[in-house]
Amino acid sequence: QKEVEQNSGPLSVPEGAIASLNCTYSDRGSQSFFWYRQYSGKSPELIMSIYSNGDKEDGRFTAQLNKASQYVSLLIRDSQPSDSATYLCAVELDKLIFGSGTRLLVRP
Amino acid sequence: EAQVTQNPRYLITVTGKKLTVTCSQNMNHEYMSWYRQDPGLGLRQIYYSMNVEVTDKGDVPEGYKVSRKEKRNFPLILESPSPNQTSLYFCASSFGGGYTEAFFGQGTRLTVV
């Protein structure tokens, strides 16, 4: 079982819709969770971090964490074509473990 | 400007010819690491360093070497590159290991023929 799992996608949503990206992890001891955005051929950049159960909102982005279910998600409201990218979930296990990413396509 | 700088950005080399990819950060971070990214496999850690002169293997260290003689620099060395090391490589740095934000370099696309 992979330590951090994501659906590879692509997830295709129309402009203005809510995009929902999901991630599960295997180690219950993980304490820190991150979402990175990566445009094609570019380096990952951090968009959200979350450390406790519940929701964390930052602009159009909301991260949700459920440690009991070992599940972390990212919601992008009012999706824009510029949000089209690969979204990497990362979980702390003494070091950062990355999922393989979900490719998001926002259709104009 | 806070940044992680990798060089070169693109490199084509032949099997067996030693190469070094440089990485430098100006944020006084203690933790630095190297990743390779391959389609469908995500980012996999090659080596990491928690401080000067302290390095350790990540998940895919075979065929790579690193050194950390100064806090700001963390070069990746391929003593005898092989075609299966063709990949996109990223250097990253952070204040801590896994519990703080990692800053990534621009990436080095390496092709070994």
Side-chain angles (χ1 to χ4, degrees):
Chain A
Q1 181 190 3
K2 284 187 180 177
E3 292 172 293
V4 180
E5 294 210 49
Q6 296 181 255
N7 188 316
S8 61
L11 172 66
S12 181
V13 301
E15 184 174 355
I18 296 175
S20 178
L21 304 161
N22 304 313
C23 172
T24 58
Y25 60 96
S26 60
D27 195 315
R28 288 189 174 277
S30 302
Q31 296 295 324
S32 306
F33 306 86
F34 306 89
W35 283 99
Y36 285 81
R37 178 177 62 199
Q38 186 178 23
Y39 292 112
S40 181
K42 302 295 185 182
S43 57
E45 57 177 333
L46 182 74
I47 52 172
M48 290 289 287
S49 59
I50 187 166
Y51 303 97
S52 54
N53 278 331
D55 295 0
K56 179 182 178 183
E57 188 175 317
D58 184 0
R60 295 187 296 112
F61 299 97
T62 299
Q64 299 175 316
L65 175 61
N66 184 325
K67 289 186 179 180
S69 300
Q70 296 173 242
Y71 178 95
V72 58
S73 64
L74 179 71
L75 301 178
I76 306 175
R77 288 182 299 282
D78 189 24
S79 294
Q80 300 297 308
S82 58
D83 294 325
S84 297
T86 297
Y87 289 80
L88 304 171
C89 172
V91 174
E92 172 261 335
L93 286 165
D94 295 325
K95 60 181 180 181
L96 275 180
I97 306 293
F98 286 86
S100 55
T102 298
R103 189 164 147 241
L104 173 66
L105 295 174
V106 181
R107 309 186 303 272
Chain B
E1 181 189 354
Q3 59 185 3
V4 179
T5 304
Q6 282 180 240
N7 279 297
R9 294 288 312 279
Y10 302 91
L11 180 59
I12 301 174
T13 190
V14 296
T15 298
K17 186 176 181 182
K18 180 180 178 180
L19 66 92
T20 299
V21 184
T22 63
C23 175
S24 180
Q25 51 94 3
N26 63 1
M27 294 169 279
N28 203 36
H29 286 165
E30 292 186 346
Y31 190 94
M32 297 185 74
S33 56
W34 277 101
Y35 295 88
R36 61 177 288 172
Q37 187 173 37
D38 303 289
L41 297 177
L43 283 163
R44 294 181 292 167
Q45 192 180 58
I46 302 170
Y47 268 94
Y48 65 96
S49 169
M50 300 184 75
N51 214 325
V52 175
E53 302 291 3
V54 179
T55 63
D56 209 344
K57 296 177 181 178
D59 299 313
V60 288
E62 293 77 21
Y64 304 95
K65 283 176 57 177
V66 293
S67 68
R68 187 95 181 269
K69 294 184 171 57
E70 304 166 279
K71 197 171 188 178
R72 61 184 290 126
N73 295 325
F74 190 44
L76 179 70
I77 302 156
L78 284 72
E79 295 268 3
S80 183
S82 63
N84 65 11
Q85 292 178 298
T86 293
S87 187
L88 179 59
Y89 291 87
F90 289 103
C91 177
S93 74
S94 63
F95 281 113
Y99 50 87
T100 60
E101 176 183 0
F103 293 83
F104 285 83
Q106 314 96 304
T108 297
R109 187 166 292 282
L110 172 66
T111 302
V112 184
V113 297

